[in-house]
Amino acid sequence: MGKPYSDDFASGKLSVPARQYALTAQQMRNNGYPMADSGMEAAASSGAGVPNVEGFRSTAREGEGGDAKSALCCERLVAMDCEMCHTKLGPELTRVTLVGDTGEVIFDRLVKPENEILNYVTEFSGITPEMLENVTTTLKEVQDEILALVDADTFLVGHSLENDLVALKLMHANCIDTALLYPHNKGPPFKFSLKSLAERYLSKQIQVSGHNPIEDARTAMELLRLKLHFGPGFGEFENDGVSICKILSGHKRCATLLDRPETLRKHAVGSASAVLCRTDEEVCKRSLNECKSSSVNFVWCNFTELYSRIDEATKASVDVDAILDSISPQNTATAGEGAGGSSIAEVLANKQKDLESCSEVVEELRALDDRIGRIHDSLPRNAALVVVSGQGNTPYVRALQHLRWRCRGVSRGGQKDAEGGQDEGQPTSLWDAKCEEHMLFSIKQAAQTICVVGVKR
């Protein structure tokens, strides 16, 4: 595997600590991580893939906040991967593996699900009926063992780690997700698979004959170690252009960027001034002063609260569990072709209409329009104003992707009749062509960007 992280750790060769790559609370919310009130902001118990954490356990002990220790030498990395099979409740845990920072296996258990397995999905899970034949280990027993190995300050590493934590019914604050560590060049909600990242950055083939959690966990750890060795910019998508801030600096011109900390750290280069803002209104007010300054040639500001309202409205409206509960296989089968062929597609169409007319989103749109208008009014004559919309409703796309995954799991695990054949009352798939068409349209819609360019007269 190359030089162990712990060796570089001990010799002090790492200039960037692992905690720099840990997910923020907002990133965890956006990607469906199980979250509790203690040590993190509360997440909605329903919404775009955000799980209900009732009955979940936490790695944080009472009185601990779950924050990483400040001393670099205290950092501990553990990579995790879980495998699931489908039961009547959806995916349930059947195997969990933990490896250390040098790839050594520190925990590997098969788990007996609480409910009868309807589909082993062996091609994805690597689990066969023979493997679980004599397994008696329960989810609680596995939780107890993991809680003895992983404390609140351990950095858990994995690929789309939220799925593993949900399967384990565990909450953990310090997570490093390689699916987000190596962002897709198309931006959210797209993510590279672990297999493609391994081939691209590690020059190795994985999952050749099915999934192996030891192999997957080791691969995630190796991908993190590349970041630790080569820095935050390694593996990030780069286009052929040059930063406008660098261009302006080369021509002895000044730029001002107004945004949140994570964006400023990445883009405020050269002679650009970075103005830290916490709210959209603060961005607007401070940009008005910058636009009037004769010494500033370029002002860049970012308004994020509209996206936050859309995210909140989507999570409040699109509850994957509630949709599946309201449209059971029996109800879908009873509805038949006379119901239009897809009850789920009809529900989604209504949900989308509700989101488009959501009062909170409309109100935020008006506020954004007012702020852009104030910035326009503050500009001097002949100044150019460029407004770019950015991404669309990616939280809704994530919810659709999660729902499709859940629906296909339920469909694959259809009940069998007494003769061993497929139950006639069970539909072939809850997620049909209409649902797929709706999701593809939503992805295309979310990827669209509007750009408006004008010159102040």
Side-chain angles (χ1 to χ4, degrees), residues 375-385 454-457:
I375 291 175
H376 175 270
D377 293 343
S378 71
L379 294 174
R381 290 185 60 188
N382 296 323
L385 176 65
V455 177
K456 177 75 176 289
R457 299 299 186 188

Side-chain angles (χ1 to χ4, degrees), residues 332-374:
T332 306
T334 303
E337 297 180 359
S342 176
S343 296
I344 288 183
E346 294 169 1
V347 170
L348 293 175
N350 292 330
K351 295 288 185 183
Q352 194 170 49
K353 289 179 182 178
D354 292 341
L355 288 173
E356 291 172 354
S357 60
C358 175
S359 59
E360 290 83 1
V361 174
V362 172
E363 183 180 347
E364 193 60 49
L365 269 171
R366 293 196 182 102
L368 178 60
D369 182 67
D370 174 70
R371 289 170 183 136
I372 294 175
R374 286 152 60 191

Side-chain angles (χ1 to χ4, degrees), residues 245-262:
C245 295
K246 290 183 179 180
I247 294 175
L248 290 169
S249 296
H251 290 80
K252 301 187 184 304
R253 295 292 188 268
C254 295
T256 298
L257 280 63
L258 303 97
D259 205 338
R260 278 62 172 176
E262 54 273 14

Side-chain angles (χ1 to χ4, degrees), residues 274-427:
V275 180
L276 176 62
C277 301
R278 301 293 183 184
T279 66
D280 280 5
E281 184 60 26
E282 186 180 3
V283 170
C284 180
K285 288 181 177 179
R286 301 187 74 168
S287 66
L288 299 180
N289 296 328
E290 297 298 322
C291 289
K292 295 174 182 177
S293 173
S294 59
S295 62
V296 179
N297 306 103
F298 176 77
V299 178
W300 185 87
C301 50
N302 187 20
F303 297 108
T304 63
E305 289 175 10
L306 174 60
Y307 182 81
S308 297
R309 295 292 88 74
I310 293 173
D311 186 26
E312 292 167 2
T314 301
K315 289 178 179 178
S317 175
V318 186
D319 184 340
V320 172
D321 289 328
I323 291 174
L324 290 176
D325 288 343
S326 65
I327 307 177
S328 66
Q330 292 78 8
N331 292 339
T332 306
T334 303
E337 297 180 359
S342 176
S343 296
I344 288 183
E346 294 169 1
V347 170
L348 293 175
N350 292 330
K351 295 288 185 183
Q352 194 170 49
K353 289 179 182 178
D354 292 341
L355 288 173
E356 291 172 354
S357 60
C358 175
S359 59
E360 290 83 1
V361 174
V362 172
E363 183 180 347
E364 193 60 49
L365 269 171
R366 293 196 182 102
L368 178 60
D369 182 67
D370 174 70
R371 289 170 183 136
I372 294 175
R374 286 152 60 191
I375 291 175
H376 175 270
D377 293 343
S378 71
L379 294 174
R381 290 185 60 188
N382 296 323
L385 176 65
V386 181
V387 180
V388 183
S389 65
Q391 61 194 13
N393 192 349
T394 54
Y396 183 67
V397 173
R398 285 195 297 269
L400 293 179
Q401 291 172 331
H402 182 67
L403 178 59
R404 179 176 65 168
W405 177 64
R406 293 284 301 275
C407 285
R408 288 182 171 178
V410 170
S411 299
R412 289 192 194 102
Q415 296 281 0
K416 306 241 180 187
D417 61 23
E419 306 298 324
Q422 189 73 23
D423 185 351
E424 294 180 1
Q426 177 72 20

Side-chain angles (χ1 to χ4, degrees), residues 10-27:
S11 60
K13 293 181 180 179
L14 292 175
S15 58
V16 179
R19 64 176 175 274
Q20 179 167 328
Y21 301 109
L23 299 181
T24 65
Q26 185 62 51
Q27 286 176 311

